[in-house]
Amino acid sequence: MPDHDQSSFALTAAPPVMIDRRGSMDRDDAIAVRRLDDGWDLTVYVADVASGVARNSTADQEAFQRRESAYGGRRGTAKMLPRPVEERLTLAQGRPCAAMRVRVNVAADGTARECEVDRARLRGAVAMDHQAVADAIADSAHPLHGALREAAALSEVLLARRRDQGALALYDLLSGWATDEDGGLVRLAASERNVAYKVVQECMIAANTALAAWAAQRDLPLLFRNHSVAKVAPPRQVLLDDLDLALADGSPARLEALAQRTLMVMKAAEYAPFMGGHWGLNLPGYVHATSPLRRYADLVVQRVVFHHLDGADDPYTQDELASIAVALNDGARADREAQKDYFKAAAHARDRRAAATDADFSRLDSRGFHAILKRGCKENIATASLADEAARRAAAQQLTALELQLLLLVAGSESWKDARAACLEAVAAAPETAASVLSVHAQVNGLSLAEFADGNQGQSPHTVFSSSASLVVDGTQVSGATRTASTKKAARHQAALSLLARLAELPDPSQDLAAPAPQTTPKKATASPSSQGPSPLMTLNEYAQVRVISGLKFDITGQGPSHMSTFTCHAHAHHEGEQLTGTASAPSKAAAKTRAADLLLKAIDARRQQTHDAA
């Protein structure tokens, strides 16, 4: 069996380094990097577990049941192999260790040119934690400075090559975010936020990739690690751009949102006895082979490789590999669901305690406040301070449609009374929000969306639109009042607001924003410009509310003695980028303002009619 002994290397060589958490007792791999004239020689030594754990032995059966080691979370710390077996087979400093050696010749641009796989005996390996590696790279006097610096340089080249090939790969060690091998964003432990983490990740991915190609060339039947995405996933380049932007922005909320999105669009990678490709890495084939102490799939792969090297028959049939893959995938899926439920229950308990605490909630960011508000509404828990903060955020228009739905249509205890009233008042101030709240309510409860019955009377530009909204809840149709406005959109907003108030069992703040449509038969003109329809001031305010116009203002000046004053009003507004003006004079401010508003309204309606005719 070939040796890697420090004494057998030239002076330019350095011992392999085992990089792991401080105090780790299950060291799967060691890395040795040597600079060449035209690239690097990367050698990864993997603990020989296959020779020490016989198929169908007690240790093998326990490992198969556990599938992989756990470090925290629902399962706590639970090793895949029994402790005595792990201690016997782990790579360790100060003793020779049997290993599988994967040697990859890497070109200067990061391309893997060739791969050799054999058995080896590892001697002289050095155990280091992540911080010790980072310190050695920064310290030119450290005995391993040169070798580790080359390992860091190689990791940068390997990362750049993967990025060029379309892999979803990024590291932001300063903020503690990185992508895992599937391309999902993960939060790094504080001890891993340095260059050593990147060295380990890139070297292991390179070794696993090279071994997959090596096995495929020899038609070895083993477990491949396949990965795909959902049909709704955006194009690869869009995700890459989003990753770049999120890390450049550095916003925790943005990073968390992107992490959740990648989880939603990427399917979990799975094992299979065939090469199905890996989307996150953008590779035709990939295997897990560098952690046989911690993952059962790696142990299976190692057994297949060693049988091939020894000239023995394949240790598994295709059906056996397929059966193992199904068991590993099903177990991983069950673990993910159990872990999700575990963290969900823990989060609910935390938020439940917070909602019942009379604390200062004003300092919470939107995400933290949402979690506590959601638990408080669903379980009708509310201290005075939580209800007051909800009311304050509602008045400041800082609540989302989902939060308004929780407060108006879920929370029901007396302690939420004032906050619910504040929420409806906030929706009334921005009535376009009502439809969004109703939509959220329908989606959350699996209901059909609210329906609107629309109508209109009169001729443009003085058409009066009407609308009423209804929603079927528990088989019963609930309807709001019919509301009118001079635009269809505004009528629907008021109708949705009315329905929302009825569902919330609160006083209805919706309004009719338009008077009845004018008669089509001519009437004798009168002095009041508002006698043939709604007040021009009311109509202008409504136009501003539904954003037909913007920047509405009135400038009034007066001239002459107090008993014979003449007031002039200039009414201004912007419509589709153009400033329109109406100017009028009258003996009183009110009359001048009304006449100016009437002239401005006519100018606006004329522009709207021109646009309508042109269309």
Side-chain angles (χ1 to χ4, degrees), residues 22 28 39-40 66 73 93 109 116 142 146 151 185 216 287 319 342 385 460 465 475 486 513 589 615:
R22 182 174 298 179
D28 283 297
W40 290 268
R66 293 170 181 166
Q93 184 171 292
D109 67 351
E116 297 176 0
H142 194 283
L185 271 177
V287 296
D319 287 344
Y342 170 81
S385 56
S460 178
F465 295 89
S486 61
L513 299 180
K589 291 181 180 180

Side-chain angles (χ1 to χ4, degrees), residues 106 156 262 283 580 591:
V106 183
E156 293 291 347
T262 55
L283 292 171
L580 302 177

Side-chain angles (χ1 to χ4, degrees), residues 349-359 361 372 375-376 381-386:
R350 182 190 64 238
D351 296 335
R352 187 179 298 114
R353 289 192 299 271
T357 303
D358 202 3
F361 296 99
I372 296 172
R375 191 56 28 209
I381 305 169
T383 59
S385 56
L386 179 59

Side-chain angles (χ1 to χ4, degrees), residues 260-530:
Q260 290 300 315
R261 181 154 66 94
T262 55
L263 280 176
M264 292 173 66
V265 302
M266 290 186 188
K267 298 180 180 179
E270 294 189 336
Y271 296 109
F274 56 82
M275 184 183 287
H278 197 291
W279 196 89
L281 294 168
N282 202 21
L283 292 171
Y286 189 68
V287 296
H288 274 168
T290 55
S291 294
L293 284 170
R294 306 176 186 181
R295 288 187 303 232
Y296 193 78
D298 301 53
L299 174 56
V300 171
V301 168
Q302 192 176 86
R303 282 176 176 151
V304 175
V305 171
F306 279 171
H307 273 67
H308 171 76
L309 294 176
D310 297 342
D313 293 337
D314 295 329
Y316 300 96
T317 67
Q318 198 74 4
D319 287 344
E320 286 174 329
L321 286 174
S323 179
I324 292 171
V326 168
L328 296 179
N329 295 334
D330 287 348
R333 193 175 300 113
D335 274 352
R336 286 194 299 272
E337 290 301 317
Q339 187 83 331
K340 186 189 301 181
D341 291 342
Y342 170 81
F343 284 120
K344 188 175 183 179
H348 285 179
R350 182 190 64 238
D351 296 335
R352 187 179 298 114
R353 289 192 299 271
T357 303
D358 202 3
D360 180 7
F361 296 99
S362 63
R363 298 180 181 275
L364 287 177
D365 61 18
S366 58
R367 181 172 181 172
F369 183 74
H370 173 84
I372 296 172
L373 179 68
K374 181 178 180 180
R375 191 56 28 209
C377 289
K378 286 195 168 186
E379 299 187 20
N380 271 318
I381 305 169
T383 59
S385 56
L386 179 59
D388 288 347
E389 178 61 15
R392 186 193 70 78
R393 295 193 185 208
Q397 300 289 338
Q398 292 175 346
L399 296 181
T400 65
L402 175 57
E403 289 162 346
L404 291 168
Q405 182 264 345
L406 285 167
L407 283 158
L408 288 170
L409 304 177
V410 176
S413 67
E414 187 67 19
S415 55
W416 285 114
K417 179 180 178 181
D418 292 342
R420 296 178 72 243
C423 286
L424 193 59
E425 185 178 340
V427 175
E432 65 275 9
T433 309
S436 298
V437 177
L438 291 173
S439 177
V440 167
H441 185 64
Q443 292 174 36
V444 167
N445 292 282
L447 308 175
S448 297
L449 295 177
E451 294 185 353
F452 291 87
D454 301 319
N456 64 80
Q457 287 184 327
Q459 309 231 344
S460 178
H462 299 294
T463 306
V464 173
F465 295 89
S466 64
S467 183
S468 63
S470 62
L471 186 70
V472 177
V473 181
D474 295 331
T476 301
Q477 180 171 296
V478 181
S479 302
T482 300
R483 293 304 182 201
T484 61
S486 61
T487 66
K488 180 179 178 180
K489 184 183 292 185
R492 281 194 164 199
H493 290 168
Q494 293 298 320
L497 176 60
S498 178
L499 173 59
L500 181 60
R502 185 156 297 179
L503 289 170
E505 298 181 354
L506 291 171
D508 187 350
S510 64
Q511 303 178 56
D512 287 317
L513 299 180
Q519 300 294 323
T520 55
T521 54
K523 286 187 176 182
K524 181 185 288 187
T526 65
S528 172
S530 63

